[in-house]
Amino acid sequence: MKRSILILLCLLSLMSASACTDFVEPNQLAFVMGTAIDQGEDGLIEISEQIVVPSKLSGPFEGGSSGDAGSSVVMSATGRDIFEASEKIQKKMSRRLMTSHRILIAVSETFFNQNDGGKLFDKLGRDPANNLRDIMIVVKGGRAKDILMLPHPMENITSIAAGKELQINGLNKFSSRQLIVEHYTDGLRPLLPVLRMEKIKADDKESRPMAVLAGFAALNKQLRVKGVLEESESFAAVWMSGKETYQGLTIPWKDGHGMLSFRLVRLKRKIRTRSCGDSKCAELRVKAQAYLLENTTSLDMSQLRNMTEVEKYMNEQIQQSFQLTMDKVQRWGPDIFGIGEQFHRRYPYWWKSRRDNWDELFKTVDVTVKSRIQLVSIGSSGGPMK
Amino acid sequence: MKLSGYQLFWITSISSMIMFTYIPITLALNEARQDAWISILLGGAVMLAVNWLVLRVCIQNEDKSLVRMMKDLLGTVLGKIIVTAYFAHWFLQMSATVKDMVNFQNLVMLHNTPMPLILFCMLFLVLYAVYKGGLTVISRCAEVIGPIFLFTLFVQLFLNPQQMNLKRILPVYADSGWLNIGAGALSSFNYMMDPSIILMLFFFAESKRAASRAVLWGTAVSVAWGLLATLVLLAVTGPDMASKMVVPVYSLTKMVSILNFIQNIDAFFIPLWLLGAFIKLTTCLFILSYGLSEWSGYRNWRRIACALTVVWLAYIIYSARIVQFSYMFRSPWMTGVFFPMLYVGFPLLLWIVGSVRKRHQAAGYR
C-alpha cells in the first residue's frame, strides 16, 4: 500500500518534470535571425524582426537559388521600449519568437543620434533570451528595417549574409557583448561596422539594391555617431583598434610605376604610454606579417636588397596613412583605440581626474603611430613575371 | 551512517560551489570591481582559516555533534538557545537556495509553470533522499555527481578563449583601494562555504584525520574555482558589465561560442547546477532534522524531516511574495554580524571553553 502510493506520487511528479506547461515544439517557434532598430514616430522605438520561414528554405542539396523568395519575413512594430514593440510583433505571429539564435542587430544611425543608445543594452543583458553573440551594426542613410528586407544574391537571409561578410573578412570583434563592454569602459569607445544600401549589378538583369559594408562608425560615450570612416581609413582604424585578424594591402612603388600587393596576417597592435611634460603621450605600434602576392613593379624580389627596401617602404607608407587616420579620429573625439584604457591601466591616479572628460581630452593627446610589418614571403616566384 | 573522507570532500566542495556560482562573486564584484579576484582570494584565505578553527573544535569534541557540543560546553540552556541560531541559519539557507533555484527556472525556461509545482518536485526529491537513507544516500549521490559537476564547471570556464582579455583586470588596486577590497572579501567570504555544516557532519566521519583533510581540500578546490571564475568573468566582460550580472557564471556560459558551432552551453550548466543544489539541500535538510531530533530529544529524525519539509514548502510559498527576503543575503546585518557570529564567534567560544576545560581536567588529574 505504502509503496504503491509512493510510486504513484513519483509518477505524478514525473509528469510535471516534463514541463508540459511550457512545452513549445520547434515547429511552434519563430527563429529571429536579425533585429532592426529604428526611430519610430513620436519618440517611439521601432523594432523589426527578420524571421525565417522554414518551409520556404531550400536545403543545401536542393540547389536553392540565392535569395529565395519568401524564405524570411520582416515584421515590425513600434513601442515605448524594445520589449513592448516585440510583444506587439508576437501578437501578430502564429509562432513564439525566439531570439537566442539571432545573428545581427542593425541599428539605424538616426536612432543612435536621437536616443540614448545605452538603453538598448539593458534589454540585451537582462533578458536571458539574448545570447550577446550577435553582431551589432549601424545602418547609414536609411532605415535599418530596409536592410533586413533586401534579398541577398548569395544567402537566403540578409542577416546571415551580413554576419558571414564580417566573419570571412576577419572582422570578429563586433558582437553586442563587445559593444556593451566598450560602452561601459571609460577609456574606450565603440567602433561599429556600417552597412549601406548600394545598387549592385549582380547579373544581366537590372541592378538591385544590396546591403554592403561601407566603413566603420566611431561612437562617443553617449553613443552618438561622431564620424564614419571611409573604406581606406577604416582598414587602418579597425587594425589600430585591434579588431581585425587579416587584411589585404596594395601600395604603389616609389617610382610610381607598378603596384605591390600583400596579404597581411596576424595583425596586432600595441599601445605604449609615457609621460611627456605634465600630460601623457602614447605610441601605437601595429604589427603584422606580410606575404607578397602581386608585384607589377620592375623590382626583382628575389634580391635581398629589394626585399628589405620593400619592407621599409611599406612600413613608411602604412605609418604615414595610419597617422592620418589617427589624427582624423582624434579630431572627432571618440577614442576607439582604447588609448584611454591604456592610460587607465598605466597611470590609474592620473586617469581618475580625467576619465569623465576623455572624449574632449583625447583630441589633444599626442599619439604617434609606428609600423613594424615583417615581410615573411615573396610568394612563389622571384622576379616579376612578364 | 558513516562518512568517508572522500565523500566529505565532495559534499563540501559541491555545496560550496553551488553558492559560489552566484552570490560571492557578485558581492565581491560590487565592492571591488576589477580587484574582485583579490577579494575572493582574501575571502578564501579567511574561509580556510575559519575552517581550520572549526575543525579544531570538531577534533576537540570528535564524538559529539554540534548540538551535544553546545550542550556540554556551554550548559544545557545556553547551548540550546545558541544552537537555534544555527537551525535558523540552515533553514534560511535552504529556503534561499531553493527559492533562487525556482525563480531562476521560471525566469529562464519555465515561464508559465507555476512556482509551487517546481518547488514541490525538488522538495519531494530532497525529502525522499533524506528519508530513505539519510547521510548514506547523500554521500553516495555526492560521490557520483561530484566528479561530473566539478569537471564541467572547471572546463566551461575555458570555453571562451577568444573573448578573454586578461588586461581587463588592470589596473590592480588603484581603482578600488584596500577598503573596498577588504569589504568585498568580508562580505563574500560568508557565502563561499558553510562551516556550520562541518560542525554537524564531522561527527559522522569515519576517520577524523581524513575528514579534516577532506574539508580543507573541498574548500580549497571551491575557492580555487571561484577565483578562476572571477578572473575569467573579468577577462571576458570587464568589471563594469560583470558587476551588473545577477547570475554571473550562467551569463558566462551563454557567451560561449566555439567556431560558431558549440553554443548555448547553459543547457548543460543548468541541469548540473540543479544536481549540485540537490546535494546542498539534502545535506542541509539532513543536518537540520538530525540536529532538531537531538535538540528536542525526539529520536525519529526522519519524521522531523517530513514535518520540516512541509514547513519549508509553506515558508517558501509564503515568502515568495515578499521581495525583501530575496535580498536578505546582501544585508550588512547578515554578512557583517549574523554569519561571522555563526562561523567564527561561536566556534571560537567553543574552542576556548573546550581548551580551558581540558586544561582543568589535566590539572585535576595531576
Side-chain angles (χ1 to χ4, degrees):
Chain A
M1 186 59 204
K2 220 173 166 185
R3 174 155 298 197
S4 55
I5 291 178
L6 252 179
I7 291 176
L8 201 73
L9 259 176
C10 284
L11 285 178
L12 271 177
S13 56
L14 255 186
M15 275 172 70
S16 59
S18 65
C20 288
T21 43
D22 276 302
F23 195 62
V24 184
E25 295 269 8
N27 63 10
Q28 292 173 305
L29 288 174
F31 291 93
V32 175
M33 283 293 132
T35 298
I37 298 169
D38 284 295
Q39 179 65 40
E41 285 161 17
D42 313 324
L44 293 177
I45 177 169
E46 184 178 9
I47 300 290
S48 314
E49 311 265 32
Q50 183 174 41
I51 300 154
V52 189
V53 183
S55 57
K56 295 278 176 60
L57 273 182
S58 45
F61 304 112
E62 290 157 27
S65 69
S66 55
D68 278 352
S71 59
S72 72
V73 287
V74 178
M75 304 282 283
S76 326
T78 54
R80 283 166 296 177
D81 65 0
I82 303 175
F83 183 76
E84 195 180 59
S86 37
E87 272 306 286
K88 283 184 188 163
I89 297 174
Q90 179 67 70
K91 288 268 152 47
K92 298 180 213 159
M93 300 286 301
S94 57
R95 297 181 176 208
R96 171 90 52 87
L97 288 175
M98 177 146 146
T99 48
S100 313
H101 294 271
R102 178 169 50 207
I103 293 176
L104 184 79
I105 301 177
V107 186
S108 69
E109 193 191 1
T110 20
F111 181 84
F112 271 133
N113 286 340
Q114 291 178 12
N115 290 280
D116 173 17
K119 70 186 180 188
L120 298 178
F121 300 151
D122 190 79
K123 166 79 172 157
L124 287 175
R126 194 179 298 277
D127 187 349
N130 293 299
N131 57 23
L132 292 180
R133 283 182 250 114
D134 30 21
I135 294 163
M136 206 134 178
I137 55 151
V138 177
V139 174
K140 197 174 162 56
R143 291 186 309 166
K145 182 182 170 180
D146 299 334
I147 292 274
L148 291 187
M149 291 187 187
L150 289 178
H152 192 271
M154 298 289 282
E155 312 287 345
N156 284 322
I157 295 161
T158 358
S159 310
I160 297 183
K164 282 188 176 174
E165 208 172 295
L166 289 178
Q167 201 198 355
I168 207 75
N169 288 313
L171 303 160
N172 50 12
K173 288 196 174 152
F174 295 97
S175 63
S176 51
R177 177 194 63 89
Q178 186 83 19
L179 176 61
I180 296 176
V181 171
E182 282 166 10
H183 175 61
Y184 283 142
T185 310
D186 284 326
L188 178 62
R189 300 287 174 264
L191 180 71
L192 291 181
V194 174
L195 282 194
R196 190 159 43 198
M197 258 195 270
E198 247 169 52
K199 294 228 168 193
I200 285 182
K201 201 165 162 62
D203 45 31
D204 49 0
K205 288 172 234 149
E206 81 258 50
S207 56
R208 290 187 301 197
M210 210 177 109
V212 290
L213 191 64
F216 287 82
L219 277 65
N220 69 0
K221 185 78 186 165
Q222 289 75 38
L223 288 176
R224 302 269 185 274
V225 177
K226 285 310 242 186
V228 175
L229 292 154
E230 296 301 319
E231 209 177 335
S232 57
E233 301 157 337
S234 57
F235 158 53
V238 175
W239 184 353
M240 285 193 286
S241 58
K243 293 186 168 192
E244 201 167 24
T245 48
Y246 50 87
Q247 179 57 265
L249 171 75
T250 302
I251 47 170
W253 183 239
K254 285 179 204 172
D255 56 9
H257 298 296
M259 293 288 182
L260 289 160
S261 285
F262 305 90
R263 176 173 69 213
L264 301 179
V265 295
R266 303 181 64 80
L267 302 189
K268 293 218 173 74
R269 60 99 199 231
K270 194 165 188 171
I271 301 169
R272 289 181 181 187
T273 51
R274 59 174 202 280
S275 297
C276 46
D278 40 334
S279 183
K280 305 284 174 193
C281 299
E283 181 191 291
L284 196 148
R285 186 169 287 192
V286 291
K287 273 187 186 170
Q289 294 181 350
Y291 292 77
L292 183 68
L293 293 184
E294 192 175 346
N295 174 16
T296 54
T297 62
S298 51
L299 291 169
D300 179 2
M301 286 304 287
S302 56
Q303 303 271 319
L304 191 62
R305 185 170 44 83
N306 286 339
M307 273 177 75
T308 48
E309 203 170 338
V310 163
E311 193 183 84
K312 199 171 147 231
Y313 183 67
M314 174 169 59
N315 276 315
E316 279 166 13
Q317 289 288 307
I318 289 256
Q319 209 161 299
Q320 214 171 21
S321 74
F322 277 32
Q323 187 71 55
L324 288 176
T325 311
M326 175 63 80
D327 295 344
K328 187 170 181 179
V329 175
Q330 274 193 303
R331 278 198 297 279
W332 290 342
D335 175 12
I336 54 175
F337 312 105
I339 288 166
E341 206 40 40
Q342 198 61 29
F343 284 141
H344 176 199
R345 284 163 190 165
R346 184 85 192 278
Y347 308 103
Y349 298 104
W350 177 86
W351 172 253
K352 256 180 204 174
S353 57
R354 288 163 179 85
R355 66 171 176 213
D356 296 325
N357 199 22
W358 182 238
D359 276 337
E360 279 307 307
L361 208 70
F362 179 59
K363 294 179 180 173
T364 61
V365 172
D366 178 18
V367 186
T368 35
V369 182
K370 287 267 154 57
S371 164
R372 292 279 178 280
I373 297 168
Q374 215 186 345
L375 182 63
V376 291
S377 162
I378 55 161
S380 48
S381 78
M385 308 249 279
K386 280 188 182 144
Chain B
M1 286 183 289
K2 279 287 169 200
L3 204 56
S4 75
Y6 182 68
Q7 289 168 330
L8 195 59
F9 167 79
W10 288 119
I11 292 181
T12 41
S13 60
I14 295 175
S15 51
S16 34
M17 274 162 86
I18 281 296
M19 294 312 259
F20 233 131
T21 50
Y22 62 117
I23 302 179
I25 298 183
T26 317
L27 286 175
L29 277 167
N30 281 335
E31 293 285 349
R33 300 170 58 77
Q34 71 260 43
D35 295 327
W37 61 278
I38 306 181
S39 289
I40 297 277
L41 198 64
L42 287 178
V46 172
M47 202 56 195
L48 277 172
V50 170
N51 262 330
W52 181 80
L53 171 70
V54 165
L55 285 171
R56 304 281 339 167
V57 176
C58 287
I59 290 171
Q60 227 172 39
N61 311 277
E62 58 176 35
D63 51 344
K64 292 172 212 153
S65 75
L66 176 66
V67 184
R68 290 266 310 283
M69 231 187 266
M70 285 276 187
K71 248 197 289 191
D72 286 1
L73 292 177
L74 303 176
T76 314
V77 181
L78 191 63
K80 276 198 171 182
I81 292 172
I82 292 181
V83 156
T84 49
Y86 283 92
F87 292 159
H89 165 57
W90 292 329
F91 187 75
L92 285 177
Q93 203 178 40
M94 271 156 59
S95 311
T97 313
V98 86
K99 220 172 85 182
D100 287 342
M101 177 201 98
V102 172
N103 284 347
F104 181 70
Q105 288 203 331
N106 269 339
L107 170 75
V108 177
M109 300 182 291
L110 311 171
H111 304 243
N112 297 318
T113 309
M115 182 273 264
L117 199 67
I118 310 172
L119 197 63
F120 180 77
C121 293
M122 190 65 177
L123 295 203
F124 179 78
L125 192 65
V126 168
L127 177 65
Y128 183 73
V130 171
Y131 189 88
K132 261 308 195 204
L135 200 53
T136 320
V137 168
I138 300 170
S139 50
R140 286 278 170 82
C141 285
E143 249 179 308
V144 176
I145 295 171
I148 310 170
F149 184 78
L150 197 69
F151 176 77
T152 318
L153 255 63
F154 264 101
V155 165
Q156 57 131 336
L157 292 182
F158 297 99
L159 296 182
N160 266 324
Q162 331 90 307
Q163 296 161 7
M164 278 188 219
N165 179 4
L166 262 181
K167 284 195 178 149
R168 292 211 172 99
I169 65 168
L170 297 174
V172 175
Y173 177 70
D175 278 4
S176 47
W178 286 125
L179 214 61
N180 287 328
I181 295 176
L186 287 182
S187 63
S188 63
F189 103 92
N190 293 302
Y191 292 97
M192 288 183 184
M193 199 237 162
D194 186 354
S196 61
I197 294 182
I198 304 306
L199 284 170
M200 206 63 199
L201 284 184
F202 199 78
F203 163 67
F204 296 97
E206 233 164 15
S207 143
K208 306 296 175 190
R209 244 184 95 76
S212 10
R213 219 178 296 142
V215 168
L216 289 178
W217 269 111
T219 317
V221 164
S222 75
V223 169
W225 180 81
L227 180 64
L228 211 60
T230 315
L231 279 173
V232 168
L233 186 72
L234 283 171
V236 171
T237 64
D240 299 273
M241 192 176 169
S243 62
K244 292 187 175 64
M245 290 177 176
V246 180
V247 275
V249 177
Y250 164 74
S251 304
L252 198 62
T253 57
K254 279 189 74 95
M255 288 171 197
V256 169
S257 168
I258 302 173
L259 301 172
N260 275 325
F261 179 65
I262 300 174
Q263 295 171 334
N264 297 333
I265 304 286
D266 46 318
F268 291 93
F269 174 71
I270 296 173
L272 261 181
W273 194 89
L274 288 179
L275 286 177
F278 166 72
I279 297 295
K280 170 146 183 101
L281 293 175
T282 42
T283 313
C284 279
L285 181 65
F286 171 75
I287 56 173
L288 183 53
S289 40
Y290 196 89
L292 270 173
S293 110
E294 275 191 320
W295 186 79
S296 61
Y298 183 75
R299 296 292 287 278
N300 193 338
W301 55 266
R302 285 163 207 265
R303 287 214 184 127
I304 294 182
C306 293
L308 255 177
T309 312
V310 176
V311 177
W312 188 15
L313 188 73
Y315 172 77
I316 296 164
I317 293 177
Y318 167 74
S319 72
R321 298 195 204 134
I322 306 163
V323 179
Q324 282 86 340
F325 277 109
S326 329
Y327 287 90
M328 214 152 71
F329 73 90
R330 274 170 190 275
S331 104
W333 277 105
M334 294 294 263
T335 57
V337 181
F338 186 64
F339 289 130
M341 210 54 201
L342 292 184
Y343 296 167
V344 188
F346 294 137
L348 200 63
L349 187 68
L350 288 176
W351 192 39
I352 292 169
V353 173
S355 308
V356 168
R357 188 169 290 185
K358 236 178 205 165
R359 197 162 294 167
H360 259 280
Q361 277 169 354
Y365 282 126
R366 223 182 286 148

